[in-house]
Amino acid sequence: MGAGDSARVEAERQLLVRDAHAQAARNAEADAARWMAAYRTEKRTAEALAPLTAHGYHLLADRRWPGSRHAQVDLVVIGPSGVFIVDTKAWADVTVAAGRVFRDQVDVTDEFDKLVSLTLDTEAALAEIGLAPGEVHAVVAFAGKKNIRGEVGAVDLIGDVDVARHVLKRGQRLTANQVNSVLRVLTEFFPVVGAPAPVNVTLPEPIAPSPATTLDIPDLPSVDEVQALHLESMLAPPIEEWMTFLHPDQAKLVRRSFGGPARIRGAAGTGKTVVGLHRAAYLARTRPGKVLVTTYVRTLPAVLKNLLTRLAPEVADRVEFVGAHAFALRVLKERGVAVRLDGRKASDAFSTVWRTSSGDLKRLEKNADYWQEEIESVIKGRGFTVFEQYADCARIGRKRRLTVDQRREVWNLYTAYEHELRRLRVNDFADVILLAERELQREPLDGYSAVIVDEAQDLSCAMVRMMWAVAGDGPDAFTLIGDGQQTVYPGGYSLAEVGISLVGRGVVLDVNYRNTAEILEAAGRIVADDQYTDIEDAAPIRFEGGGVPSRHGERPMFVRFDSRREHDEALCARIRSLVRSIDTSLGDIGVLCSTNGQVQAVQNLLAAQGIASVNLLEYTGGQVDAVKVGTAKRAKGLEFKQVLVPWTKASLVSPATVRALEGAESLLEREERERRELYVAMTRARDGLWVGTVRS
């Protein structure tokens, strides 16, 4: 090294140190500016939300991201309308289009993935106390923006000026006690951010940031405006507490993942339908494609759709509700398959062939309805195409035993009926299902990521196969919900016939949240000696009970009258007495009958007494100030504070009458079905039950 070279090298090194420190200073200055911008924007968002604290809301600010040492969560809002995880962005040029977010010209949609994951983690933490998924919302608030409305996946995009309105618009979801329970959990789940890291003394003194440009932010809503918004949200239709909070086991079940087809079962009142609704919303949030929810009762889908719209409006367009027959008809129409459904002509066709049938079946059972049910539920309900299939089947749910020769007579009646249908060029309801199933086997249907079947025990074997063809065997793709004890239609099936195995994927709900212990005990007595078959096991099962009751109430009223006039007067008097109660309105009362003729008679009776009513055929799940009147079958999936069951047959509540039927299998089968219908009607009652009979 020459003279002076070591000094030159050291000088160059010091210059590099100078440049490094200068770069560190510039980086620190930029970081400080970003932190200051974040401070200003987060403060503005907090100021916009602060008036909510006067209305039962809590703000958790500057909390640590769970599981991270450095990441922070700007704000967590907890209050009557749910939980909102708020991330504030100070982006000057932001565009939301076609489900994507652009900053300037750069697609930044993927930046929100971590926020979605945090929402799911928060839902899991709150499932421990029973908060349903869907009550936790991810929100990105853009500083200084107004009238931004967008959604990317599960993240709501909003201007910070409108963030309070966004929180309040969901209405009253949680009670004060529920808010406190959530607050206790989330205070621990989101720890307080610790002290900032110390300044590294090896660096020069921090450089003060340059004066920031003032953001042009529109005026935030005033305290008076927020109060008005809060009052408006409180005046919105109330959401029942059970729609938001579930038992912790149920909340976990909503989020549970199954490796294939699964089933949720439990007695009446254990919350199966509510769990199914929450699960539909959860699947819609967490996977692509639509979720299909179907059931046998054609009026129930409209009610379920209305409930989900109130429960989870953000995914209402991704969950489709449709009855099994309506779905099949739509498939056939879309595929161009001609079908002429005519129930009346189909019934006439059966009557024609029955009149000319052999006398063997008539001597065995003279009631033609029994044999029509045999064809609809056993032969066509399973989709049999050759006699050998029918000759070997178990005829689940049918008590009368048939020899092979007798089955051949039934098969001859069936083939004659089919020929008559073809001659008349009409189809019955079973044809619609079989034709649609055939179409779906020929060409599978795309667009659905999951299928949920409610009241699965009421569907036919062919209906379940059809829905399974839509869903497939993927994880969480097919969920069956139901209870064999509530089967009210003739016949039955087993999942083994369908080809579905549920090993390790069946869940039983055993706590009754709807009925009082007194209602549950009274309903249980009606079916205590009966047997039923479950879709997982074709063997007859004794009544298992209605689950463990969670509360007590008044004893049900079983009242017998000497005349129809006395019965009807008492029915109307009972309704008037109920609505005088401070917590019961006409819309909280259900009058449930055994036939459509009785439904019309009740509505005529109430109209003559000036009492408003609505037929369950027309009820869609919204609030109505009218007594709801319908058959027990139409009431499946629904509940009422008070239930009245008029004109009940004495034989349904008299064990002595039941014993007298022993040996008459078809009558016994019909009586058991009628008792199960009465059981269904009685277990729709949450608080009170009235059952009226008239002496014969």
Side-chain angles (χ1 to χ4, degrees):
M1 183 176 293
D5 282 349
S6 61
R8 178 183 57 77
V9 170
E10 180 60 23
E12 291 175 349
R13 189 183 73 82
Q14 290 296 332
L15 289 174
L16 291 174
V17 170
R18 179 205 63 186
D19 293 343
H21 279 265
Q23 184 60 48
R26 288 192 295 271
N27 290 344
E29 185 173 8
D31 287 343
R34 283 193 294 270
W35 282 107
M36 186 61 69
Y39 159 73
R40 294 195 310 273
T41 56
E42 291 169 22
K43 182 179 180 182
R44 294 291 301 188
T45 303
E47 288 174 349
L49 292 167
L52 298 182
T53 59
H55 302 287
Y57 287 82
H58 303 267
L59 307 184
L60 303 182
D62 288 330
R63 296 286 170 146
R64 192 166 72 243
W65 197 291
S68 173
R69 297 181 60 184
H70 305 293
Q72 297 182 19
V73 178
D74 294 348
L75 278 168
V76 181
V77 182
I78 304 161
S81 56
V83 177
F84 300 81
I85 302 173
V86 182
D87 185 27
T88 304
K89 300 291 187 185
W91 293 352
D93 187 5
V94 59
T95 305
V96 181
R100 309 294 295 179
V101 181
F102 298 88
R103 186 180 183 185
D104 295 326
Q105 301 299 317
V106 180
D107 189 334
V108 293
T109 308
D110 293 344
E111 290 191 21
F112 303 124
D113 289 347
K114 291 182 178 179
L115 189 59
V116 173
S117 296
L118 177 60
T119 302
L120 296 176
D121 291 343
T122 306
E123 285 181 352
L126 291 171
E128 299 293 336
I129 60 169
L131 184 70
E135 299 307 323
V136 181
H137 310 276
V139 179
V140 171
F142 294 104
K145 304 296 183 182
K146 189 175 184 180
N147 295 327
I148 287 182
R149 293 289 187 276
E151 181 181 307
V152 175
V155 180
D156 295 323
L157 310 177
I158 197 82
D160 68 346
V161 177
D162 302 309
V163 68
R165 296 181 178 88
H166 181 73
V167 169
L168 286 171
K169 75 177 183 179
R170 288 186 61 81
Q172 187 78 21
R173 310 286 298 191
L174 313 183
T175 66
N177 288 337
Q178 292 165 354
V179 169
N180 290 335
S181 297
V182 172
L183 181 62
R184 283 194 298 271
V185 172
L186 295 191
T187 299
E188 295 183 6
F189 187 69
F190 292 99
V192 176
V193 173
V199 175
N200 187 339
V201 295
T202 63
L203 294 175
E205 285 295 317
I207 300 173
S210 303
T213 302
T214 302
L215 291 172
D216 182 18
I217 301 179
D219 291 336
L220 296 170
S222 66
V223 172
D224 289 341
E225 289 174 321
V226 171
Q227 288 176 338
L229 287 168
H230 180 71
L231 178 60
E232 182 180 344
S233 72
M234 291 295 291
L235 292 175
I239 302 293
E240 295 290 343
E241 183 173 328
W242 58 262
M243 293 182 63
T244 298
F245 257 71
L246 305 169
H247 185 277
D249 290 342
Q250 293 177 317
K252 294 174 186 176
L253 177 57
V254 168
R255 296 168 44 85
R256 181 171 169 180
S257 182
F258 297 94
R263 185 193 179 193
I264 300 170
R265 70 180 180 92
T270 54
K272 300 182 298 300
T273 296
V274 177
V275 168
L277 278 175
H278 282 288
R279 186 162 177 80
Y282 174 74
L283 292 174
R285 291 188 192 97
T286 56
R287 58 197 303 163
K290 281 193 170 186
V291 175
L292 176 65
V293 179
T294 188
T295 187
Y296 183 79
V297 179
R298 65 182 177 87
T299 51
L300 187 55
V303 176
L304 296 179
K305 177 179 176 61
N306 192 298
L307 290 175
L308 187 84
T309 300
R310 294 158 57 194
L311 170 73
E314 69 279 7
V315 295
D317 61 337
R318 280 176 261 166
V319 182
E320 181 180 326
F321 296 89
V322 63
H325 285 104
F327 175 80
L329 285 168
R330 191 178 67 199
V331 168
L332 295 174
K333 182 178 180 180
E334 291 173 351
R335 301 288 177 87
V337 177
V339 60
R340 185 183 176 193
L341 179 62
D342 192 323
R344 178 170 296 180
K345 285 190 175 181
S347 182
D348 291 342
F350 182 82
S351 297
T352 298
V353 299
W354 173 249
R355 285 194 300 270
T356 59
S357 65
S358 71
D360 292 342
L361 291 182
K362 293 177 181 177
R363 285 189 292 271
L364 187 63
E365 171 56 65
K366 64 180 180 181
N367 189 335
D369 290 344
Y370 183 84
W371 301 114
Q372 188 169 7
E373 290 173 354
E374 182 79 10
I375 291 173
E376 291 176 352
S377 63
V378 180
I379 297 178
K380 301 188 76 168
R382 285 169 166 80
F384 293 155
T385 55
V386 295
F387 170 68
E388 286 71 22
Q389 293 172 307
Y390 177 54
D392 293 336
C393 79
R395 297 178 66 247
I396 296 171
R398 305 292 270 176
K399 292 187 177 296
R400 181 183 291 281
R401 296 180 180 180
L402 299 178
T403 66
V404 173
D405 289 339
Q406 290 167 341
R407 293 191 188 206
R408 189 173 297 279
E409 290 295 329
V410 177
W411 188 264
N412 291 338
L413 180 65
Y414 156 67
T415 55
Y417 171 60
E418 288 296 289
H419 290 151
E420 185 67 11
L421 288 178
R422 302 295 86 82
R423 187 186 71 81
L424 296 175
R425 297 183 179 180
V426 298
N427 300 103
D428 61 13
F429 285 97
D431 286 333
V432 171
I433 300 300
L434 295 173
L435 289 170
E437 182 191 4
R438 192 177 308 156
E439 270 301 304
L440 292 172
Q441 290 171 345
R442 182 185 66 81
E443 182 182 344
L445 188 65
D446 294 327
Y448 295 104
S449 61
V451 175
I452 296 175
V453 180
D454 195 23
E455 304 289 354
Q457 75 281 350
D458 288 337
L459 272 68
S460 69
C461 184
M463 289 177 186
V464 176
R465 284 199 308 260
M466 176 182 69
M467 292 304 172
W468 188 30
V470 175
D473 283 329
D476 303 321
F478 195 44
T479 304
L480 296 163
I481 298 174
D483 171 30
Q485 295 177 161
Q486 298 182 68
T487 302
V488 295
Y489 294 97
Y493 69 95
S494 71
L495 292 178
E497 293 180 78
V498 182
I500 295 176
S501 173
L502 298 179
V503 176
R505 297 188 299 275
V507 180
V508 180
L509 302 177
D510 56 8
V511 178
N512 188 306
Y513 299 100
R514 178 197 302 147
N515 310 125
T516 63
E518 291 75 13
I519 291 173
L520 198 57
E521 190 272 336
R525 285 200 309 269
I526 301 299
V527 292
D529 296 327
D530 291 347
Q531 293 182 335
Y532 68 95
T533 54
D534 187 68
I535 61 176
E536 291 186 57
D537 187 354
I541 304 171
R542 284 284 180 188
F543 175 72
E544 296 177 323
V548 180
S550 57
R551 61 196 182 91
H552 287 271
E554 63 184 32
R555 297 194 65 81
M557 299 173 62
F558 288 81
V559 191
R560 181 170 292 188
F561 301 92
D562 291 327
S563 68
R564 174 75 172 253
R565 181 181 58 80
E566 291 178 354
H567 171 284
D568 295 355
E569 289 176 353
L571 177 73
C572 296
R574 175 65 177 171
I575 292 174
R576 290 195 178 95
S577 173
L578 290 173
V579 295
R580 286 197 292 269
S581 172
I582 193 171
D583 61 347
T584 304
S585 66
L586 288 176
D588 296 323
I589 300 171
V591 180
L592 305 182
C593 309
S594 59
T595 67
N596 288 321
Q598 287 186 353
V599 170
Q600 188 59 58
V602 168
Q603 289 201 276
N604 292 341
L605 173 63
L606 297 183
Q609 295 293 318
I611 300 173
S613 69
V614 60
N615 194 311
L616 287 182
L617 289 171
E618 303 167 358
Y619 175 62
T620 60
Q623 283 192 308
V624 293
D625 189 24
V627 175
K628 302 181 179 79
V629 186
T631 63
K633 291 177 180 177
R634 295 294 179 203
K636 279 198 156 194
L638 306 179
E639 69 175 40
F640 312 87
K641 288 184 181 180
Q642 300 283 339
V643 165
L644 294 86
V645 187
W647 307 312
T648 305
K649 289 171 58 176
S651 62
L652 300 182
V653 294
S654 173
T657 306
V658 173
R659 284 195 295 271
L661 290 173
E662 291 180 359
E665 290 90 348
S666 60
L667 291 176
L668 182 59
E669 181 183 322
R670 191 173 301 116
E671 284 275 355
E672 284 194 358
R673 226 165 39 232
E674 290 176 349
R675 279 197 298 277
R676 284 197 294 268
E677 280 192 45
L678 178 57
Y679 173 80
V680 167
M682 294 170 67
T683 54
R684 300 308 96 193
R686 196 188 76 181
D687 302 329
L689 174 65
W690 183 95
V691 179
T693 61
V694 179
R695 299 181 193 276
S696 56

